[in-house]
Amino acid sequence: MLFTSLVQLFFPHLCEGCQRDLARRENILCMRCVRRLPVTGFQRYVNNPVERAFSGRVGIRNAMAGYYYTQTSMLQQLIHRFKYRRRKDIALYLGRRLGHMLLESGWLHEIEGIVPVPLNTVKEQHRGYNQAALLAAGIAAVVQKPVFDQVLHREHRAGSQTRRGRSSRWENVSDAFTVKDAATLYNRHLLLVDDVITTGATTEACSHALLAAGASVSICSLAFTSD
């Protein structure tokens, strides 16, 4: 007990949301901040807003997002930390939370593998990791499905999507993704994982590439915004 107290004194274990000390069984977020996260519940509903966002655009099977995304929110800050401040532990934690949400869906049993949306090579080398792959790893730890993180390839260095509108985003990524090993994916039902869906252009482009390889696709995003 004395050793534990000394460790917490010199290396405080603080909540990423409110900066208060975490209890022994808490990790990354305290229970109070967990309850503040804007959960969607989409995994439990057919024709939810994420599924409707892709209707008529690409032939996916199912879709969900764990949380609503808004600027300046606690979730936005968490995403910023794992994307730009090397907090891989936050991405893995949120991935595990997504995994538990997927256990509530009626279609998880159909999934045969998990595919993260890839980064372009230059960006991944600069960042040191792909945040979608970390989310996928967190999901896999809960749902016990294999991760295929080397099969979907980003063909060229598309510029940042952040400040682009829907049509510009689609033009930027429409031919950016190819499948390296189509035989691995053929006739499999895959879960495509990304961090945030805004216009859905990147997710749509990845889905088209997987469908062209003979797979069927469902989508899981950490967060969703219709703005």
Side-chain angles (χ1 to χ4, degrees), residues 31-43:
M31 290 308 300
R32 181 179 178 183
C33 285
V34 167
R35 288 191 290 268
R36 288 173 51 203
L37 289 173
V39 177
T40 66
F42 290 167
Q43 70 277 8

Side-chain angles (χ1 to χ4, degrees), residues 178-189:
T178 57
V179 170
K180 286 186 177 180
D181 186 4
T184 300
L185 307 183
Y186 183 76
N187 210 31
R188 290 180 183 265
H189 187 172

Side-chain angles (χ1 to χ4, degrees), residues 71-141:
Q71 294 288 345
T72 72
S73 66
M74 178 176 65
L75 180 64
Q76 188 272 341
Q77 294 170 14
L78 293 172
I79 291 171
H80 186 272
R81 287 169 194 166
F82 73 63
K83 288 181 72 170
Y84 304 115
R85 294 174 60 180
R86 299 184 180 273
R87 291 297 306 275
K88 294 187 281 187
D89 56 330
I90 294 176
L92 289 167
Y93 168 81
L94 292 171
R96 289 192 295 271
R97 295 199 67 84
L98 279 177
H100 286 290
M101 293 177 189
L102 284 163
L103 292 176
E104 301 176 357
S105 75
W107 46 268
L108 177 64
H109 67 281
E110 301 173 7
I111 299 298
E112 300 172 83
I114 304 172
V115 178
V117 169
L119 284 177
N120 67 66
T121 303
V122 173
K123 185 176 288 187
E124 185 168 352
Q125 288 177 345
H126 176 74
R127 186 170 295 169
Y129 55 90
N130 174 9
Q131 71 275 2
L134 294 174
L135 291 171
I139 292 170

